[in-house]
Amino acid sequence: MTLTDREIACRAGEGDVPAFVQFVGRYRAPLISYVYGLTGQRDDAEEMAQEAFCRAWEKLPTLRQPQRLVSFLYRIAHNLAVSEGRRPRPVTLPAEPAADPPRDDPGADVHRAVAHLSDEHRVVVSLRHFAGLSHEEIARALGVPAGTVRSRLSRAYDRLRPLLAHLLED
């Protein structure tokens, strides 16, 4: 039986594990894509998405607005990515120079281009295109008006066009 996000929030908040498993199944891939868009690190994105689901599960009983479950999850993931970005990482020098990532993968090109955006533009592009959220859902997740989301997306697209022009040439 397929539940709505609101039904999942209510049931999972009461400890219904199968309802939460359905939620994880529905949002795992988009959430990983979103966090990957923020961090540029696939392994980190998977770990942060897992942590975001764990924290959401813990906090579900106290969620006052079940209709905002998805925004709540993305806010947790966003905060994890921001916190992780502030943490110093140990530097290890490889024995051989790392090979450049393949340049013929359009998906990798898009992620690289998005990584060059400012934080506020990278976040809205990632939520819109990697996570598939609507302008209104993004606005709720970020706590900004929907018009601000549209404005940031427009500016981000302006910055992305020259970075991705080579994809349109083919």
Side-chain angles (χ1 to χ4, degrees):
M1 177 165 121
T2 302
L3 302 172
T4 66
D5 291 346
R6 184 182 175 92
E7 290 170 330
I8 287 173
C10 293
R11 288 184 179 196
E14 295 170 354
D16 185 344
V17 173
F20 193 73
V21 168
Q22 191 177 120
F23 179 68
V24 171
R26 187 177 298 163
Y27 290 103
R28 182 179 181 276
L31 188 65
I32 290 170
S33 292
Y34 168 65
V35 177
Y36 177 59
L38 294 176
T39 65
Q41 301 293 321
R42 182 75 180 174
D43 291 340
D44 289 350
E46 290 176 3
E47 287 179 29
M48 283 183 232
Q50 178 71 25
E51 180 64 22
F53 281 115
C54 290
R55 290 185 186 188
W57 172 253
E58 291 171 0
K59 301 289 185 184
L60 266 175
T62 62
L63 185 62
R64 286 181 264 161
Q65 296 177 314
Q67 70 276 14
R68 294 198 171 172
L69 176 59
V70 176
S71 300
F72 176 65
L73 176 67
Y74 278 91
R75 174 48 62 188
I76 292 170
H78 176 83
N79 290 342
L80 286 169
V82 168
S83 294
E84 185 68 22
R86 290 185 188 135
R87 240 182 249 154
R89 291 182 172 260
V91 176
T92 57
L93 298 175
E96 296 179 23
D100 287 336
R103 288 282 176 187
D104 58 350
D105 178 10
D109 287 347
V110 170
H111 278 285
R112 276 191 289 273
V114 170
H116 284 78
L117 296 174
S118 68
D119 287 344
E120 69 180 15
H121 294 132
R122 186 172 56 249
V123 167
V124 294
V125 168
S126 295
L127 285 171
R128 180 73 183 113
H129 296 285
F130 302 144
L133 297 184
S134 70
H135 294 153
E136 291 73 22
E137 290 170 323
I138 296 169
R140 282 195 303 269
L142 299 178
V144 299
T148 301
V149 170
R150 283 189 274 285
S151 171
R152 287 179 184 173
L153 279 170
S154 177
R155 288 187 190 113
Y157 297 152
D158 288 344
R159 288 174 176 81
L160 287 172
R161 270 186 205 96
L163 297 173
L164 297 173
H166 68 282
L167 293 177
L168 299 173
E169 293 170 359
D170 295 336

